[in-house]
Amino acid sequence: MAPAASSSAPSFSSADALLSSFRFERVLSEDPRALLVYLLGTAVPEGQSERAPCILKLEKTPYAPDEAPSLATPGAWSKLQTVTCNDIYSTSLAWFAPGRTTADVQILSICPATEKHVKKYSMQVSRLVRETPELYETVVKPYMDSLSPSTISWVYNILDGTAEAENVLYRDDDPETGFVLTPDLKWDQKTLSALYLLVLTQDRTIRSLRNLRTRHLPLLRKIRQECERVAMERYGIEKGELRFFVHYQPTYYHFHVHIVHLSYLSFSGITVGQAHLLDDLIDSLSLEVEASNSGGPAPLQSWFERRTFTYSLGVEHPLYALLKEKGA
Amino acid sequence: MAPAASSSAPSFSSADALLSSFRFERVLSEDPRALLVYLLGTAVPEGQSERAPCILKLEKTPYAPDEAPSLATPGAWSKLQTVTCNDIYSTSLAWFAPGRTTADVQILSICPATEKHVKKYSMQVSRLVRETPELYETVVKPYMDSLSPSTISWVYNILDGTAEAENVLYRDDDPETGFVLTPDLKWDQKTLSALYLLVLTQDRTIRSLRNLRTRHLPLLRKIRQECERVAMERYGIEKGELRFFVHYQPTYYHFHVHIVHLSYLSFSGITVGQAHLLDDLIDSLSLEVEASNSGGPAPLQSWFERRTFTYSLGVEHPLYALLKEKGA
């Protein structure tokens, strides 16, 4: 007679015992970046004779703090495979042990690296700032005006059709409600759960969401509707599967909308404060129209002009020192 | 004479050549979950004699789609170490190869697993829903009313001091502007860059941000100020290093505020739509006061009552079917 396990007895006393009896059934779920996986199967708890459902979570571990230097030696790897070498950039794959089907680590190298490279990949310290309407007028607007118009000529090239024309998914040339829809460069155009599209508006007067007014509602609503329709037709995306958002501060000052798949979560671009849902922009402007129709007062009639925006900013960003100086 | 490398010649022809000449200097940056690391060092490009700055990015790779089953066998590992066994739960560490200082994978197991476990760890399909004020009244409010009050008795235990009293970082018993600040269970209370605190308000009438009105401004402002002060004193956190936010939909219907370190980005709890910055709530209510003082009309005097909220909801969530049925 097999000894009856008490209800609080461990079902396994060792990882070996567990894995030796495990029979794989199916993958339950994976992280979008897939560094962890949940498996479902069965196993025979010690002291029992029947198989029982068993879930395994396998999660790759972070690097230990003192491990970093030793990784950059050939001795750390059982196998190294060069993938590409292009000028100063190269990509390789590395295996911790022989016999593993897939590489354990991807290695990217830049050599010779410039100061700019070093800065780009160095730890960015960020702080929250509060941009009041006054700080927008006295700090952010002058900063935008100081930037060379050439920094957004790539945008105008796309709008004018002189660049990336072959990538355009949808084009509407209306000067007020028109826009161009393209795949974002960050998307591999294959992995649907990481879908990333970009909308550039024809209207060159909207520099950021600070400039949005109720007259822009038709443009915003058209972007929401038409892009969802195009994505459904082209990629088989279902209603409610896409997240539309705008950044503030944006990286460049020509109004643009990011569109990503709802399950694409492993990137900081969707963080509250930086990201603003297009649906929320539309809702806020709609309430503004409602207020105006009821004879409402000025304060709520320029929502995006009156708002204080709180966002995180790298302390190396040119705006950070300027805003801090004025008490943001 | 060493042959002069052309400017477009690869600086290395193989990963071996690169790593063999690499000399480690320092870690430039790491992901918060630290599955990637940027190293700075120097290396000697092929055909050259001088050391040049070299950046290496080492990134652990995702599991391959067909790799999962083979991971759940003892043969996949060169070493297995059991960490804990507690009833049906156990934790182990596994190494891909001998000689590696740290484990490559952490394995968690649940056996026997229940249907609830299986559901919890299965891929969650989510969709965006739009909760209008009407849907709040007709769907969400009745849903909240249907929940057993016992689901938040753990909250009242903390507020009353009958549970977790030893964990409380700050307590203010004012029935209107008071709150309790505790470390969140998700925080290990050690890693500052993953700091996670929780604020529970004494006012039991605020069930979610939908109930926020201008009269709550003193409460919200006190939370913002006092918690920042306590975190500075207790953990040496600097001004602007903390992100305060509220979830909608929340997991439980007693108003609470999440506080996390600004650099803690690798979790979906800060996603736009679900997360709302406390600073933005305060700003919106302040503009409401301004509108009211200028003799504004009703529509914009209950901002959180009038708003349409767009958020992602698991299709298994009880609210999803109810909202969809009514056209959300």
Side-chain angles (χ1 to χ4, degrees):
Chain A
M1 193 182 90
S6 94
S7 72
S8 67
S11 50
F12 296 98
S13 61
S14 77
D16 255 309
L18 170 70
L19 291 186
S20 300
S21 82
F22 187 82
R23 196 179 290 162
F24 172 80
E25 209 166 278
R26 62 188 160 94
V27 171
L28 286 180
S29 57
E30 292 177 283
D31 183 79
R33 268 194 73 214
L35 295 174
L36 70 83
V37 61
Y38 284 96
L39 309 180
L40 179 66
T42 54
V44 187
E46 281 168 55
Q48 314 241 332
S49 51
E50 302 277 306
R51 298 209 145 259
C54 180
I55 293 173
L56 290 183
K57 175 191 182 191
L58 293 113
E59 186 175 16
K60 297 211 176 175
T61 54
Y63 294 115
D66 54 353
E67 187 183 16
S70 70
L71 293 172
T73 57
W77 311 102
S78 97
K79 183 175 153 189
L80 275 168
Q81 181 190 307
T82 310
V83 179
T84 57
C85 292
N86 183 352
D87 193 33
I88 62 170
Y89 304 97
S90 78
T91 321
S92 320
L93 293 170
W95 281 255
F96 283 135
R100 305 235 331 112
T101 48
T102 51
D104 295 308
V105 175
Q106 175 173 295
I107 303 176
L108 182 117
S109 74
I110 307 172
C111 183
T114 64
E115 256 315 298
K116 222 172 149 181
H117 287 117
V118 173
K119 194 165 171 180
K120 180 172 177 188
Y121 296 113
S122 293
M123 189 72 78
Q124 299 291 321
V125 175
S126 295
R127 289 288 179 272
L128 275 192
V129 294
R130 284 170 43 80
E131 181 193 299
T132 61
E134 293 67 40
L135 284 171
Y136 174 70
E137 287 297 328
T138 57
V139 175
V140 179
K141 228 163 136 186
Y143 166 74
M144 289 195 297
D145 292 337
S146 76
L147 298 174
S148 160
S150 70
T151 55
I152 51 172
S153 41
W154 68 271
V155 174
Y156 295 167
N157 290 342
I158 294 176
L159 291 175
D160 294 340
T162 60
E164 298 188 43
E166 68 284 5
N167 289 333
V168 167
L169 300 171
Y170 181 79
R171 170 182 289 279
D172 176 336
D173 287 327
D174 187 288
E176 277 168 22
T177 63
F179 59 89
V180 167
L181 174 69
T182 64
D184 191 277
L185 290 177
K186 287 185 279 299
W187 186 36
D188 65 8
Q189 298 196 40
K190 278 176 278 186
T191 317
L192 218 57
S193 61
L195 177 136
Y196 204 133
L197 307 178
L198 176 67
V199 172
L200 298 167
T201 60
Q202 295 287 2
D203 187 337
R204 301 185 182 195
T205 65
I206 318 172
R207 301 171 78 184
S208 78
L209 61 71
R210 272 277 186 207
N211 300 132
L212 290 179
R213 299 295 177 268
T214 52
R215 66 173 179 277
H216 297 123
L217 270 170
L219 164 67
L220 301 181
R221 288 190 173 128
K222 197 199 264 182
I223 291 173
R224 188 70 178 82
Q225 275 168 26
E226 290 303 296
C227 295
E228 192 165 61
R229 185 184 59 74
V230 171
M232 283 166 100
E233 288 175 13
R234 184 142 187 154
Y235 303 111
I237 294 285
E238 279 180 50
K239 197 170 150 56
E241 257 187 299
L242 295 179
R243 200 189 298 273
F244 289 64
F245 59 90
V246 162
H247 280 152
Y248 195 76
Q249 291 286 329
T251 315
Y252 50 94
Y253 294 99
H254 175 96
F255 189 69
H256 56 283
V257 179
H258 305 263
I259 306 177
V260 300
H261 194 278
L262 201 60
S263 68
Y264 187 28
L265 291 165
S266 305
F267 72 116
S268 63
I270 50 168
T271 304
V272 61
Q274 269 67 51
H276 299 262
L277 284 187
L278 180 59
D279 294 303
D280 288 349
L281 306 184
I282 292 172
D283 182 54
S284 301
L285 291 171
S286 305
L287 288 178
E288 211 180 305
V289 171
E290 213 183 298
S292 167
N293 291 345
S294 334
L300 289 175
Q301 285 194 33
S302 315
W303 183 251
F304 294 104
E305 191 178 5
R306 296 267 173 176
R307 283 279 321 273
T308 288
F309 287 96
T310 301
Y311 49 83
S312 129
L313 207 57
V315 299
E316 305 281 335
H317 192 293
L319 270 177
Y320 182 78
L322 298 171
L323 285 167
K324 271 294 156 191
E325 195 181 305
K326 298 283 179 86
Chain B
M1 191 180 93
S6 94
S7 72
S8 68
S11 49
F12 296 96
S13 61
S14 77
D16 257 310
L18 170 68
L19 291 187
S20 300
S21 83
F22 187 81
R23 194 179 291 162
F24 172 79
E25 208 166 281
R26 64 189 159 94
V27 172
L28 286 180
S29 57
E30 292 178 281
D31 183 79
R33 267 196 73 217
L35 294 173
L36 70 80
V37 62
Y38 284 97
L39 309 181
L40 179 66
T42 54
V44 187
E46 282 168 53
Q48 314 241 330
S49 52
E50 302 277 308
R51 297 209 146 258
C54 180
I55 293 172
L56 290 183
K57 174 192 182 191
L58 293 114
E59 188 175 16
K60 296 211 176 177
T61 55
Y63 294 114
D66 55 354
E67 186 184 15
S70 70
L71 293 173
T73 57
W77 311 102
S78 95
K79 182 175 153 190
L80 276 168
Q81 181 189 308
T82 309
V83 179
T84 57
C85 291
N86 182 354
D87 194 32
I88 62 170
Y89 304 98
S90 77
T91 321
S92 319
L93 293 171
W95 282 254
F96 283 135
R100 306 238 327 112
T101 48
T102 52
D104 295 307
V105 175
Q106 174 173 295
I107 302 177
L108 182 117
S109 75
I110 307 172
C111 182
T114 65
E115 257 315 299
K116 222 172 149 182
H117 287 118
V118 173
K119 195 166 172 181
K120 179 172 175 188
Y121 296 113
S122 293
M123 189 72 78
Q124 298 292 322
V125 175
S126 296
R127 289 288 179 273
L128 274 193
V129 294
R130 283 169 45 80
E131 180 193 301
T132 60
E134 293 68 38
L135 285 171
Y136 174 70
E137 287 297 329
T138 57
V139 176
V140 179
K141 227 163 136 187
Y143 167 74
M144 287 195 297
D145 292 336
S146 76
L147 298 175
S148 159
S150 69
T151 54
I152 49 169
S153 40
W154 68 271
V155 174
Y156 295 168
N157 290 343
I158 294 176
L159 291 176
D160 295 339
T162 61
E164 297 188 43
E166 67 285 5
N167 289 332
V168 167
L169 299 171
Y170 181 78
R171 171 182 289 278
D172 175 336
D173 287 327
D174 186 289
E176 280 169 21
T177 63
F179 59 89
V180 167
L181 173 70
T182 64
D184 191 278
L185 290 177
K186 289 186 278 298
W187 185 37
D188 65 7
Q189 299 195 41
K190 277 176 278 186
T191 317
L192 218 58
S193 62
L195 175 136
Y196 204 132
L197 308 178
L198 176 68
V199 172
L200 298 167
T201 60
Q202 296 286 3
D203 187 337
R204 301 184 182 194
T205 65
I206 317 172
R207 300 171 78 184
S208 77
L209 62 73
R210 272 277 186 208
N211 301 131
L212 291 179
R213 298 297 177 266
T214 52
R215 68 173 177 278
H216 297 122
L217 270 171
L219 164 66
L220 302 180
R221 288 191 174 129
K222 198 199 261 183
I223 291 174
R224 187 71 177 83
Q225 274 168 24
E226 289 303 295
C227 295
E228 192 165 60
R229 183 184 60 75
V230 171
M232 283 166 99
E233 288 175 10
R234 184 139 184 155
Y235 304 111
I237 295 284
E238 278 180 49
K239 198 171 150 56
E241 257 187 299
L242 295 178
R243 200 187 300 274
F244 289 65
F245 60 91
V246 163
H247 280 152
Y248 196 75
Q249 290 288 328
T251 315
Y252 51 94
Y253 295 101
H254 175 96
F255 189 67
H256 57 284
V257 179
H258 305 262
I259 306 177
V260 300
H261 194 277
L262 201 61
S263 68
Y264 187 29
L265 292 165
S266 304
F267 72 116
S268 63
I270 49 167
T271 304
V272 60
Q274 269 68 49
H276 299 263
L277 284 187
L278 179 59
D279 295 304
D280 288 349
L281 306 184
I282 292 173
D283 182 54
S284 301
L285 291 171
S286 305
L287 287 178
E288 214 182 303
V289 171
E290 213 183 301
S292 168
N293 290 346
S294 335
L300 289 175
Q301 287 193 31
S302 316
W303 183 251
F304 294 105
E305 190 176 9
R306 297 268 172 179
R307 282 280 321 271
T308 288
F309 287 97
T310 302
Y311 48 84
S312 132
L313 206 58
V315 299
E316 306 281 337
H317 192 291
L319 271 177
Y320 182 78
L322 298 170
L323 285 168
K324 270 294 155 194
E325 195 182 304
K326 298 283 178 87

